[in-house]
PDB file of all heavy atoms in Angstrom:
ATOM      1  N   SER A  51     -19.294  -0.384  -5.506  1.00  0.00           N
ATOM      2  CA  SER A  51     -20.577   0.188  -5.832  1.00  0.00           C
ATOM      3  C   SER A  51     -20.921  -0.085  -7.297  1.00  0.00           C
ATOM      4  O   SER A  51     -20.191   0.357  -8.184  1.00  0.00           O
ATOM      5  CB  SER A  51     -20.570   1.696  -5.545  1.00  0.00           C
ATOM      6  OG  SER A  51     -21.783   2.275  -5.998  1.00  0.00           O
ATOM      7  N   ARG A  52     -21.968  -0.820  -7.528  1.00  0.00           N
ATOM      8  CA  ARG A  52     -22.396  -1.047  -8.917  1.00  0.00           C
ATOM      9  C   ARG A  52     -22.923   0.240  -9.583  1.00  0.00           C
ATOM     10  O   ARG A  52     -22.808   0.372 -10.787  1.00  0.00           O
ATOM     11  CB  ARG A  52     -23.509  -2.118  -8.956  1.00  0.00           C
ATOM     12  CG  ARG A  52     -23.055  -3.511  -8.463  1.00  0.00           C
ATOM     13  CD  ARG A  52     -24.246  -4.453  -8.426  1.00  0.00           C
ATOM     14  NE  ARG A  52     -23.891  -5.737  -7.885  1.00  0.00           N
ATOM     15  CZ  ARG A  52     -23.470  -6.765  -8.579  1.00  0.00           C
ATOM     16  NH1 ARG A  52     -23.299  -6.653  -9.878  1.00  0.00           N
ATOM     17  NH2 ARG A  52     -23.158  -7.912  -7.978  1.00  0.00           N
ATOM     18  N   ASP A  53     -23.440   1.144  -8.730  1.00  0.00           N
ATOM     19  CA  ASP A  53     -23.943   2.389  -9.295  1.00  0.00           C
ATOM     20  C   ASP A  53     -22.815   3.225  -9.949  1.00  0.00           C
ATOM     21  O   ASP A  53     -23.041   3.848 -10.992  1.00  0.00           O
ATOM     22  CB  ASP A  53     -24.651   3.234  -8.220  1.00  0.00           C
ATOM     23  CG  ASP A  53     -25.910   2.583  -7.739  1.00  0.00           C
ATOM     24  OD1 ASP A  53     -26.492   1.787  -8.490  1.00  0.00           O
ATOM     25  OD2 ASP A  53     -26.340   2.867  -6.615  1.00  0.00           O
ATOM     26  N   VAL A  54     -21.682   3.222  -9.321  1.00  0.00           N
ATOM     27  CA  VAL A  54     -20.571   3.968  -9.885  1.00  0.00           C
ATOM     28  C   VAL A  54     -20.112   3.423 -11.226  1.00  0.00           C
ATOM     29  O   VAL A  54     -19.893   4.147 -12.195  1.00  0.00           O
ATOM     30  CB  VAL A  54     -19.357   3.996  -8.877  1.00  0.00           C
ATOM     31  CG1 VAL A  54     -18.141   4.649  -9.505  1.00  0.00           C
ATOM     32  CG2 VAL A  54     -19.772   4.699  -7.617  1.00  0.00           C
ATOM     33  N   VAL A  55     -20.071   2.055 -11.328  1.00  0.00           N
ATOM     34  CA  VAL A  55     -19.657   1.442 -12.562  1.00  0.00           C
ATOM     35  C   VAL A  55     -20.672   1.730 -13.641  1.00  0.00           C
ATOM     36  O   VAL A  55     -20.324   2.039 -14.802  1.00  0.00           O
ATOM     37  CB  VAL A  55     -19.485  -0.079 -12.386  1.00  0.00           C
ATOM     38  CG1 VAL A  55     -19.073  -0.748 -13.666  1.00  0.00           C
ATOM     39  CG2 VAL A  55     -18.444  -0.361 -11.284  1.00  0.00           C
ATOM     40  N   CYS A  56     -21.987   1.701 -13.306  1.00  0.00           N
ATOM     41  CA  CYS A  56     -23.015   1.984 -14.311  1.00  0.00           C
ATOM     42  C   CYS A  56     -23.006   3.447 -14.725  1.00  0.00           C
ATOM     43  O   CYS A  56     -23.239   3.749 -15.891  1.00  0.00           O
ATOM     44  CB  CYS A  56     -24.388   1.603 -13.728  1.00  0.00           C
ATOM     45  SG  CYS A  56     -24.633  -0.158 -13.437  1.00  0.00           S
ATOM     46  N   CYS A  57     -22.700   4.327 -13.797  1.00  0.00           N
ATOM     47  CA  CYS A  57     -22.668   5.766 -14.117  1.00  0.00           C
ATOM     48  C   CYS A  57     -21.519   6.046 -15.097  1.00  0.00           C
ATOM     49  O   CYS A  57     -21.674   6.844 -16.070  1.00  0.00           O
ATOM     50  CB  CYS A  57     -22.503   6.596 -12.878  1.00  0.00           C
ATOM     51  SG  CYS A  57     -23.950   6.712 -11.827  1.00  0.00           S
ATOM     52  N   ILE A  58     -20.379   5.462 -14.845  1.00  0.00           N
ATOM     53  CA  ILE A  58     -19.251   5.704 -15.711  1.00  0.00           C
ATOM     54  C   ILE A  58     -19.478   5.166 -17.120  1.00  0.00           C
ATOM     55  O   ILE A  58     -19.019   5.762 -18.092  1.00  0.00           O
ATOM     56  CB  ILE A  58     -17.984   5.072 -15.061  1.00  0.00           C
ATOM     57  CG1 ILE A  58     -17.655   5.792 -13.738  1.00  0.00           C
ATOM     58  CG2 ILE A  58     -16.781   5.156 -16.022  1.00  0.00           C
ATOM     59  CD1 ILE A  58     -16.547   5.164 -12.980  1.00  0.00           C
ATOM     60  N   ARG A  59     -20.205   4.079 -17.239  1.00  0.00           N
ATOM     61  CA  ARG A  59     -20.435   3.464 -18.548  1.00  0.00           C
ATOM     62  C   ARG A  59     -21.732   3.933 -19.205  1.00  0.00           C
ATOM     63  O   ARG A  59     -22.128   3.403 -20.212  1.00  0.00           O
ATOM     64  CB  ARG A  59     -20.468   1.974 -18.380  1.00  0.00           C
ATOM     65  CG  ARG A  59     -19.127   1.441 -17.882  1.00  0.00           C
ATOM     66  CD  ARG A  59     -19.152  -0.087 -17.774  1.00  0.00           C
ATOM     67  NE  ARG A  59     -17.845  -0.573 -17.234  1.00  0.00           N
ATOM     68  CZ  ARG A  59     -17.581  -1.842 -17.012  1.00  0.00           C
ATOM     69  NH1 ARG A  59     -18.455  -2.754 -17.318  1.00  0.00           N
ATOM     70  NH2 ARG A  59     -16.379  -2.187 -16.527  1.00  0.00           N
ATOM     71  N   SER A  60     -22.392   4.963 -18.570  1.00  0.00           N
ATOM     72  CA  SER A  60     -23.626   5.506 -19.167  1.00  0.00           C
ATOM     73  C   SER A  60     -23.327   6.869 -19.820  1.00  0.00           C
ATOM     74  O   SER A  60     -22.182   7.393 -19.702  1.00  0.00           O
ATOM     75  CB  SER A  60     -24.701   5.646 -18.112  1.00  0.00           C
ATOM     76  OG  SER A  60     -24.995   4.390 -17.502  1.00  0.00           O
ATOM     77  N   ASP A  61     -24.330   7.425 -20.457  1.00  0.00           N
ATOM     78  CA  ASP A  61     -24.198   8.735 -21.052  1.00  0.00           C
ATOM     79  C   ASP A  61     -24.305   9.785 -19.981  1.00  0.00           C
ATOM     80  O   ASP A  61     -25.426  10.023 -19.404  1.00  0.00           O
ATOM     81  CB  ASP A  61     -25.293   8.930 -22.110  1.00  0.00           C
ATOM     82  CG  ASP A  61     -25.140  10.225 -22.914  1.00  0.00           C
ATOM     83  OD1 ASP A  61     -24.104  10.900 -22.684  1.00  0.00           O
ATOM     84  OD2 ASP A  61     -26.010  10.554 -23.717  1.00  0.00           O
ATOM     85  N   HIS A  62     -23.196  10.453 -19.649  1.00  0.00           N
ATOM     86  CA  HIS A  62     -23.195  11.408 -18.540  1.00  0.00           C
ATOM     87  C   HIS A  62     -23.966  12.663 -18.821  1.00  0.00           C
ATOM     88  O   HIS A  62     -24.286  13.443 -17.926  1.00  0.00           O
ATOM     89  CB  HIS A  62     -21.717  11.724 -18.161  1.00  0.00           C
ATOM     90  CG  HIS A  62     -21.030  12.496 -19.238  1.00  0.00           C
ATOM     91  ND1 HIS A  62     -20.503  11.836 -20.331  1.00  0.00           N
ATOM     92  CD2 HIS A  62     -20.757  13.805 -19.373  1.00  0.00           C
ATOM     93  CE1 HIS A  62     -19.911  12.746 -21.114  1.00  0.00           C
ATOM     94  NE2 HIS A  62     -20.073  13.963 -20.551  1.00  0.00           N
TER      95      HIS A  62
END
Side-chain angles (χ1 to χ4, degrees):
S51 174
R52 297 177 184 268
D53 293 336
V54 173
V55 179
C56 294
C57 287
I58 295 174
R59 299 182 182 180
S60 302
D61 186 5
H62 65 281

